[in-house]
Amino acid sequence: MSAFVQFHDITKTFGGVTALSGVSLSLTRGECHGLMGENGAGKSTLGKVLAGIHKPDSGELVIDGQTHAFGSPRDALAAGVAMVHQELAFCPDLSVAENLCLGRYPRRAGGLLLDHVLMKRRAEELLSAIGVALDVSRPMSELSTAQEQLVQIAAAVGTNPQILVFDEPTSSLSATDADALFLLIEDLKKRGLTLIYVSHRMPELFRLCDRMSILRDGRYVGTLKKEEMTHDAVVQMMIGRSVSDYYPRHLETAPGDTVLSVRDLASPGKFSDVTFSVRAGEIVGFAGLVGSGRSEIAQAIFGLDSRATGRVALDGQPLALGSVKASLAAGVGLVPEDRKRQGCVLGMSCQANISMAILDRVRRLAFLLDRPAEISVSSDYFQRLQIKAASLDAPVNSLSGGNQQKVVLAKWLARGGRLLIVDEPTRGVDVGAKAAIHQLIDELARSGMAVILISSELPEVINLSTRILVMREGRIAGELTRAEATQESVLRFMTGIERSAA
Amino acid sequence: MSQPTSAKPAARRSLAQEVGLALVVIVLATILAGYGWHDAAPGRPNTFLNFDNLVDGVATPMSYYAIMAVGLTVVIITGGIDISVGSIMALAALGGATALQGLPLDAPAWQVLPIAFAVPLLIGLVCGLVNGALIVGLNLHPFIVTLGTMSIFRGLANVLPAQKTLPAAGKRLPEAFTTDFMRLEFFGIQPLPLIIMLGCVAIGWFYLRLMIAGRETYAVGGNEEAARFSGLRVNAIKLRTYALSGLCASIAGMVSLGRFGTASTSTGTGYELTVIAAAVVGGASLAGGKGTALGALLGTLIIALIENGILILRLAQEYRLIIIGLAIVVAVALERLSHHLRQRRASR
C-alpha cells in the first residue's frame, strides 16, 4: 500500500518552544492511525497541522500525491480533512440545527430570510448519517457532553472528508459514552475514511487503531503495527528521556512530624477519596495527566474550592476548607500552575509581586505600607534567588519565564509557612533556571518545610520527590516509594494499566 | 492582555505620564494665554490669564469633576467602572439640603457643619456600598450595575424631595454652611471648593501610594486571579473602591450644595461622562492596573482648560461635546501609541 498522507520533516515552534521537530510520518488510506505521547509530546499539534489549524514552520504535507500548505481549517476542509476537537466549540445559545448549519445557513426569499424548515431537515440528515437521532431545535447548552460531541462529529462527517482527525475525543466522556463513540468510529472506518486518533489512553488506542505512532518531546519515535502493540512496547517508546542525576539532598535527613494530613477530600466533578499526608522535610510528588485532579487538590487545600469536602489538618489542627484566609493563616502557600494568569501581576514590579502575600506584615500604623521593610524583604529574596532583572523595580513582564517563576517562589518564601504546594514549577522555564528551581525546592524541604510537588514532567517528579502519588481521573491511583518509582511504574498507574512491572 | 515589556520601573513610568500631562496643560494654557493677550481690548487684562478667569472659569468649576475623578480613578484601577456618580452627587446634595433647610438661617456653625458634612457623605457611602455589594455579591458587571443604579439613584432624587429644587421656596440654607463656609472669601476668591478638591487629591494620592489598600487596588486591577492566589481579599478590596467612589461623588454634591445654596433633581446630570473622560485622559486604563490621583487632577484640568478655551475663543457652546469627545479619543490613542513605541523600543 502506498502512503496516502505523508508528513515530511514537519517542524513547529510556538514562541521559542519547539512543539514538533522534524516529524516524518506516513498513513495509508483507510487505516485508523493512533498518535500517542505524553502531555506536550506534540501529538495534538501534529493533528492540528493536518487539519490546517497550525501552519508548520517548515516541512511538507502530502495528501494523495499532492503537496499542501494549509493556511486555515477551511483550506484543510477543501482538501478533505476534518477534525473533531478536544474542546468543543459551539454557540451554546443557538439550537443544534443552527450550530450544525453555522456559516452555511439555507436562505429563502431572495437570501433575506433563514429557511428554518430546510435548516432543520439538513441538520437531521447530518445526524442520521452517523446514526444519531436528536431534537435539533433544542439549544446546544441543554445537551450532554457526549451529545455535543456527536453533533461535532456529525458536522465533521457532514463535510464529506476523506480524513478525519480525533483529538482526545474521550477526555470528557463516561465509559458508556466512550463505548458508543468507539462503535461509531469503527463504523466510520468501515466506510473507508482515514482516521487519525490522538490520545494518551492505551486501551482505546489498542482497540481502535491499526497502527500507532509514538511522539516524544516533539520528535517521532516510531510506529507500531497492531500485532506489535503491547503496553510495554509503548511505554518503552514513550520514555527514553535521560533522567538528570541530581540527587536531592533533603533525603539525607529523616522526615519529621506530619504537617499536612488529608482524609477523604472530595470535590464534585473534580476529585474524590483523596487521602494522604505530608511530613516535614518531605517532598511528595503528584504525578498524573493534565486534568487528573492534581491542581484541583492543590487549590482545595489552599482554600480556593468552596465545594470541597473532607478533613484537612495542618500540624494536627483542623483546617477550614474553602477559605484562603484560613489556609494562609495555617501556613499554606501555593505556587500556581499558570504563572502568567495566577502567579504574578505582570504589570507590577518584582518588589510589589514578592511582597504581595506579606502585605499584612509590611505595615506600620495599622494601614500604611512600610516601604523600607518591603524593600528589605523583597531585595533579600531577589538576591537569594538570583532573579535576573534590570532592578527590583522592573515590571515582571520584562523578565524571562524562569525568572518570573522565581518571583512567584520568592513571594511564598517571603511568607514562609509550613506547607508549600508547587504546581508545574518549571513549565516553560529554561534549563538553567530549572536546575535552580529544583535546588530551591530541595532546600525548602531540607529546611523542614513540607512540600507538595505537582508536575507533568516525569523525570522531575521522580527525581525530586521523597515519594510519589499518582493520580488518575480524580483519584489517587497508587503510591510509589522513591525506590519503586520509575518512569514505567508511574506511567502504568497514570494510564490505567496496573500490571506489575515484568 | 500583555503589558509593555520595558524594564522601566513602574513608579517612574507613571511619573513620566504625569509629566506628559503637565506638558499638555502648559501647552494648552500657553495657547489660551496667547489668544487671551491678542484678544484683550487695549489696556484690559489678558482674557484668559487673569485671576478671575483662572479661579472662577477654570478651577472652581473643575473642583466637582476632580473630586469625583479621584474616586472613579480608584475604581478604574481595579478594572471596574462607576457611572452612577452623577446621580449619587444629586442624591447627596438633595439629602443635605433636606436636612439643613429645617435649621434657622443663623444657626451656629457647630450645629450646621456636622450635619452638612455627615448627611451627604453618609448617603454617598451607602450608595457606593450598594454598588459594590451588587457587583461583588452577585458577581455582576460593574457597568451594568452602575448603569442600573445611575437610573435608580436619579429616580430616588426625583421622587423623594417634595420639590424639584431644595430648599423649598422662601427658605434658605443656614449661612454658616453657605456664605460663611463654602463661599468664604479670601483675597477676593472663594477658595474652599479648591481646597477640598486638593484635599481629595492628596487623600487619593495617600491612599494609592502609601496605604496597603492602595497596593491591593493595583494588584486586583493588574491581575485579579493572581491577587486571589496571593491571598488578597479581592471582594473586600473591590467593595471598598466603590464605597470610595460613592463617597467622592457625595463630597462633590456637598460642595455644590454649599456653593450654590441649592440642590435640584438635575444636579450632576451627565457629570459621569466628563468624570470618566477626566480619569481616562489622566492616564487611568479601563483595562485596570493603571492610574494615579495626580493623573485624575491633571486629566480634569485639561478638560477644564478645553471647556474654558471654548468660552475664551468664543466658540459656540454646541461644539463643547465634540471637542471633549475628541480629547478622550486623542488621549487614548496617544496612550496606545506610546505603549506601542515602548514595546518596539524594548524588543530592539
Side-chain angles (χ1 to χ4, degrees):
Chain A
M1 259 193 290
S2 69
F4 179 47
V5 179
Q6 279 182 296
F7 297 95
H8 278 305
D9 209 18
I10 301 275
T11 296
K12 174 73 193 172
T13 57
F14 294 103
V17 179
T18 307
L20 291 173
S21 152
V23 173
S24 297
L25 180 64
S26 53
L27 316 179
T28 50
R29 194 188 284 272
E31 76 170 331
C32 179
H33 197 107
L35 285 180
M36 171 83 176
E38 277 187 75
N39 292 316
K43 52 190 191 303
S44 286
T45 313
L46 193 63
K48 286 176 181 171
V49 164
L50 181 60
I53 294 164
H54 295 320
K55 201 175 155 82
D57 302 336
S58 65
E60 197 171 50
L61 177 61
V62 181
I63 300 176
D64 210 6
Q66 274 202 302
T67 307
H68 289 279
F70 297 143
S72 70
R74 208 182 186 87
D75 296 345
L77 275 177
V81 185
M83 182 160 183
V84 178
H85 297 276
Q86 183 177 9
E87 295 97 16
L88 305 169
F90 287 112
C91 310
D93 297 322
L94 295 184
S95 72
V96 174
E98 282 165 329
N99 270 293
L100 274 172
C101 297
L102 207 64
R104 320 164 253 146
Y105 287 129
R107 294 158 190 267
R108 63 191 176 91
L112 282 176
L113 299 181
L114 181 61
D115 190 336
H116 283 280
V117 180
L118 187 57
M119 182 175 76
K120 264 185 88 169
R121 204 170 63 223
R122 260 196 217 168
E124 276 158 3
E125 280 167 10
L126 286 173
L127 284 169
S128 68
I130 59 164
V132 176
L134 263 179
D135 178 2
V136 296
S137 53
R138 280 168 69 192
M140 208 67 206
S141 53
E142 282 181 10
L143 268 52
S144 70
T145 319
Q147 286 173 319
E148 280 184 27
Q149 191 154 40
L150 289 174
V151 173
Q152 207 195 5
I153 295 172
V157 172
T159 63
N160 280 320
Q162 299 185 55
I163 303 157
L164 192 53
V165 183
F166 286 91
D167 188 8
E168 313 236 9
T170 54
S171 58
S172 47
L173 294 188
S174 69
T176 34
D177 289 335
D179 262 334
L181 177 72
F182 297 152
L183 291 174
L184 174 58
I185 291 174
E186 277 159 0
D187 180 51
L188 290 173
K189 202 172 86 182
K190 277 189 204 127
R191 294 194 214 170
L193 265 73
T194 305
L195 304 174
I196 292 192
Y197 193 89
V198 178
S199 178
H200 49 237
R201 298 187 184 185
M202 278 189 234
E204 48 191 71
L205 284 162
F206 290 172
R207 169 175 175 178
L208 293 170
C209 299
D210 303 308
R211 293 194 303 159
M212 64 190 281
S213 295
I214 286 101
L215 296 177
R216 186 206 310 146
D217 295 334
R219 290 169 193 283
Y220 170 76
V221 180
T223 301
L224 295 172
K225 294 197 195 94
K226 186 124 199 157
E227 57 273 20
E228 296 166 340
M229 287 181 204
T230 62
H231 183 266
D232 289 328
V234 174
V235 167
Q236 208 64 55
M237 292 172 83
M238 280 172 71
I239 307 170
R241 231 182 309 186
S242 68
V243 173
S244 73
D245 38 36
Y246 178 73
Y247 181 77
R249 298 191 53 200
H250 76 270
L251 295 168
E252 289 164 9
T253 38
D257 296 335
T258 300
V259 172
L260 174 77
S261 88
V262 175
R263 292 193 67 81
D264 305 323
L265 189 66
S267 179
K270 292 180 181 170
F271 53 84
S272 57
D273 294 332
V274 173
T275 298
F276 67 97
S277 63
V278 186
R279 296 160 75 183
E282 257 192 330
I283 300 177
V284 173
F286 268 77
L289 297 164
V290 169
S292 59
R294 299 168 305 167
S295 303
E296 288 78 4
I297 291 176
Q299 291 176 12
I301 295 171
F302 189 63
L304 286 164
D305 184 349
S306 54
R307 297 171 70 199
T309 56
R311 275 180 295 162
V312 176
L314 221 86
D315 287 326
Q317 298 295 313
L319 180 69
L321 287 168
S323 159
V324 177
K325 202 179 162 200
S327 296
L328 278 177
V332 182
L334 170 65
V335 175
E337 183 183 11
D338 189 332
R339 179 174 63 236
K340 292 192 170 171
R341 212 164 56 79
Q342 306 163 330
C344 39
V345 183
L346 289 169
M348 289 176 90
S349 66
C350 297
Q351 177 188 323
N353 271 283
I354 294 173
S355 66
M356 197 165 288
I358 52 163
L359 285 176
D360 51 346
R361 292 192 202 145
V362 289
R363 66 169 67 205
R364 60 200 164 103
L365 301 177
F367 55 81
L368 291 190
L369 192 58
D370 187 349
R371 254 170 224 277
E374 185 199 3
I375 291 171
S376 92
V377 173
S378 45
S379 72
D380 181 20
Y381 284 98
F382 188 76
Q383 282 159 13
R384 227 192 283 177
L385 269 64
Q386 296 173 339
I387 297 171
K388 289 186 188 62
S391 73
L392 193 56
D393 273 337
V396 171
N397 55 15
S398 66
L399 273 58
S400 72
N403 283 297
Q404 289 181 354
Q405 189 68 313
K406 284 187 186 174
V407 168
V408 184
L409 276 161
K411 171 168 74 184
W412 290 107
L413 297 192
R415 186 165 175 97
R418 302 289 295 141
L419 169 75
L420 186 66
I421 307 171
V422 286
D423 196 351
E424 304 286 3
T426 61
R427 180 184 283 170
V429 159
D430 61 283
V431 183
K434 200 170 187 170
I437 290 170
H438 285 167
Q439 206 177 342
L440 194 70
I441 294 171
D442 186 24
E443 275 168 21
L444 281 177
R446 217 154 72 95
S447 72
M449 218 183 206
V451 180
I452 292 178
L453 168 69
I454 300 171
S455 176
S456 293
E457 246 185 77
L458 286 186
E460 182 170 282
V461 208
I462 292 172
N463 230 359
L464 213 53
S465 306
T466 325
R467 56 200 167 87
I468 294 168
L469 298 171
V470 188
M471 297 281 304
R472 189 178 70 243
E473 287 160 18
R475 284 161 197 274
I476 295 180
E479 176 171 349
L480 295 162
T481 64
R482 195 178 162 82
E484 292 165 342
T486 61
Q487 300 219 16
E488 294 196 21
S489 59
V490 175
L491 267 175
R492 266 178 227 288
F493 279 123
M494 267 168 71
T495 51
I497 300 179
E498 284 162 54
R499 287 187 317 167
S500 59
Chain B
M1 205 177 69
S2 90
Q3 300 278 315
T5 26
S6 89
K8 243 195 234 164
R12 218 177 301 159
R13 257 182 304 162
S14 75
L15 187 68
Q17 191 161 36
E18 282 154 9
V19 170
L21 287 170
L23 279 177
V24 174
V25 169
I26 291 169
V27 169
L28 274 176
T30 312
I31 294 171
L32 289 175
Y35 183 85
W37 174 76
H38 168 81
D39 195 37
R44 302 286 305 153
N46 190 320
T47 55
F48 169 74
L49 210 57
N50 67 73
F51 204 59
D52 283 346
N53 179 56
L54 289 184
V55 174
D56 296 338
V58 179
T60 307
M62 78 174 267
S63 59
Y64 319 108
Y65 295 132
I67 291 166
M68 290 199 268
V70 170
L72 189 70
T73 294
V74 178
V75 168
I76 291 179
I77 290 170
T78 63
I81 189 81
D82 181 357
I83 58 172
S84 68
V85 288
S87 301
I88 296 178
M89 177 182 174
L91 209 51
L94 287 166
T98 310
L100 290 172
Q101 68 178 354
L103 296 174
L105 190 59
D106 56 353
W110 62 264
Q111 200 183 350
V112 174
L113 292 185
I115 295 177
F117 297 156
V119 172
L121 264 57
L122 203 65
I123 291 173
L125 185 67
V126 169
C127 291
L129 285 172
V130 167
N131 281 337
L134 287 171
I135 289 160
V136 169
L138 302 179
N139 199 15
L140 299 174
H141 194 284
F143 182 84
I144 303 300
V145 167
T146 56
L147 182 67
T149 56
M150 173 172 89
S151 183
I152 293 169
F153 296 153
R154 178 68 62 190
L156 288 175
N158 283 324
V159 170
L160 292 181
Q163 294 87 18
K164 282 215 172 298
T165 306
L166 290 178
K171 283 190 184 172
R172 279 168 64 199
L173 296 187
E175 290 189 336
F177 177 53
T178 55
T179 320
D180 296 338
F181 182 75
M182 211 54 92
R183 285 203 291 262
L184 191 69
E185 285 210 17
F186 258 112
F187 305 108
I189 63 164
Q190 298 172 356
L192 253 129
L194 285 179
I195 291 170
I196 294 176
M197 169 184 85
L198 292 176
C200 286
V201 173
I203 291 171
W205 176 84
F206 184 82
Y207 180 86
L208 287 173
R209 290 282 300 165
L210 300 186
M211 283 173 61
I212 287 173
R215 176 63 65 77
E216 291 173 339
T217 307
Y218 285 106
V220 168
N223 186 346
E224 190 173 324
E225 188 86 351
R228 186 172 287 120
F229 271 81
S230 300
L232 299 192
R233 300 171 66 193
V234 174
N235 284 347
I237 294 165
K238 283 176 151 181
L239 182 67
R240 202 162 60 199
T241 64
Y242 288 96
L244 266 179
S245 176
L247 213 50
C248 284
S250 65
I251 294 174
M254 177 200 70
V255 173
S256 152
L257 178 66
R259 207 171 107 75
F260 297 114
T262 61
S264 90
T265 53
S266 63
T267 296
T269 303
Y271 276 32
E272 54 282 339
L273 290 182
T274 310
V275 174
I276 292 171
V280 170
V281 170
S285 161
L286 289 178
K290 279 199 288 185
T292 61
L294 193 57
L297 178 70
L298 291 170
T300 319
L301 183 55
I302 288 172
I303 289 190
L305 283 175
I306 293 172
E307 296 214 345
N308 185 241
I310 294 168
L311 290 174
I312 300 291
L313 300 176
R314 287 192 288 250
L315 296 175
Q317 272 300 304
E318 287 72 32
Y319 290 105
R320 183 182 154 267
L321 287 176
I322 298 177
I323 295 170
I324 301 283
L326 281 174
I328 302 173
V329 176
V330 168
V332 177
L334 281 177
E335 164 62 19
R336 277 309 315 161
L337 187 70
S338 79
H339 176 125
H340 186 68
L341 290 177
R342 271 202 305 268
Q343 236 169 6
R344 283 245 312 255
R345 203 169 43 207
S347 67
R348 234 182 280 144

